[in-house]
Amino acid sequence: MEIRVADDGGDEMTLLSYNGRKYSFWPEALQSNPLERLPSVEIRPDDIIICAFPKSGTHWVWEIVRLLVAGQLDRDEVSKGSNMMEFASEEEYKDLPSPRILNTHLLFSQLPEQVKVKKPKILYLTRNPKDMTVSFYNFVMKLPMYYKYTGEWNNFVRPSLEGKFDYGSWFDYVKDWEEVKKTTDVPIMTLNYEDMKEDVFREMKKMQDFLGVKRSDEFVKEVCDHCSFTSMKKVKADMANIVYRKGEVGDWKNWFTVAQNEWFDQIYEQKMKDCPLEFRYTLK
Ligand code: PPS
């Protein structure tokens, strides 16, 4: 169902509501909603699933994993979008060659039921919530045909972090994954955007160990370069100005006012008091 949700200034955005949760809106979903079919989607044991809250660097990790697994730097423009679990059609799921590199912003409990049985490898990615929120705001503003939103940053921050918009609350999302990691026997590796910005080569070596892929250091370095922000912005022409905005740690300082920052720190303390997750908001 198509819904309109207001920010703190009364400006509304269009979203998709399904089973009590909110998703990014796209008109085709009103005809055939892939989310309805998702629980029964067939999973293959060699699937790799990248899970992240929106704007955490999913495109970056997806491209790295795609190239690491392929073992070659092809320049084919495969779109991450057609491998996105909540949007993929039945045909797209079936037609993707193994190993499929799937990606999603859904919770673990929303993934296909076969995930628990087939135990595909999951790469779970996090990013500091201040930069994530800035990235989210800019993304929404760049897609007026879907979100139909023209609100101000000042009116966006609070409702966004309180979970009013698509995919709900970042806090609930990361806390849910922390619980899942404690209980499931599905293999999950946690990645973090700031760690990747600090040393992507180091993080890629960990990724390939987890995925059971062995590539030479030279190749891993080539993938690092191929997947740098500048290179991806150039190559991924279709999404260049929408997804590849700044690619930095700490841009939130250009957006959060002192008051918003104080409010955020207070909310973080309150919501995360039982969850020992820590994030870096700047890199030295
Ligand atoms: S989406 O649409 O939710 O799947 O977006 P997602 O890919 O998760 O996150 C988009 C942000 O990731 C940044 N990005 C990168 N950073 C560093 N290096 C590379 N190669 C890279 N590719 C994407 C992208 O710029 C978005 O962050 P912001 O802060 O908006 O620039």
Side-chain angles (χ1 to χ4, degrees), residues 53-60 80 105 127 131 135 139 193 197 227-229 232 243-248:
F53 196 78
K55 316 324 292 176
S56 301
T58 328
H59 284 76
W60 190 14
K80 168 197 156 287
H105 302 314
R127 184 182 191 185
D131 282 329
S135 184
F139 181 74
Y193 184 89
K197 283 296 293 185
C227 297
S228 72
F229 177 79
M232 284 187 73
V243 172
Y244 305 93
R245 189 185 62 92
K246 274 206 163 175
E248 286 173 6

Side-chain angles (χ1 to χ4, degrees), residues 41-132:
V41 160
E42 224 170 282
I43 289 297
R44 305 176 193 160
D46 61 354
D47 283 340
I48 297 167
I49 309 182
I50 298 161
C51 299
F53 196 78
K55 316 324 292 176
S56 301
T58 328
H59 284 76
W60 190 14
V61 171
W62 186 81
E63 189 71 357
I64 287 175
V65 172
R66 183 171 85 88
L67 298 180
L68 278 182
V69 168
Q72 61 184 78
L73 294 183
D74 63 291
R75 283 257 165 186
D76 283 1
E77 271 332 289
V78 185
S79 126
K80 168 197 156 287
S82 57
N83 296 255
M84 197 166 170
M85 298 181 83
E86 50 271 57
F87 297 143
S89 67
E90 205 165 354
E91 293 71 41
E92 280 171 317
Y93 269 112
K94 283 210 180 97
D95 292 349
L96 288 170
S98 291
R100 299 182 295 192
I101 325 284
L102 304 169
N103 69 94
T104 182
H105 302 314
L106 298 172
L107 295 166
F108 181 78
S109 57
Q110 296 177 291
L111 298 181
E113 281 151 18
Q114 282 195 356
V115 163
K116 292 192 182 110
V117 185
K118 300 278 172 77
K119 301 191 186 3
K121 290 194 168 118
I122 293 183
L123 288 163
Y124 164 62
L125 170 69
T126 62
R127 184 182 191 185
N128 87 62
K130 292 184 192 174
D131 282 329
M132 177 282 295

Side-chain angles (χ1 to χ4, degrees), residues 126-145:
T126 62
R127 184 182 191 185
N128 87 62
K130 292 184 192 174
D131 282 329
M132 177 282 295
T133 307
V134 170
S135 184
F136 214 154
Y137 175 72
N138 282 281
F139 181 74
V140 167
M141 294 299 282
K142 279 182 202 147
L143 287 173
M145 63 289 208

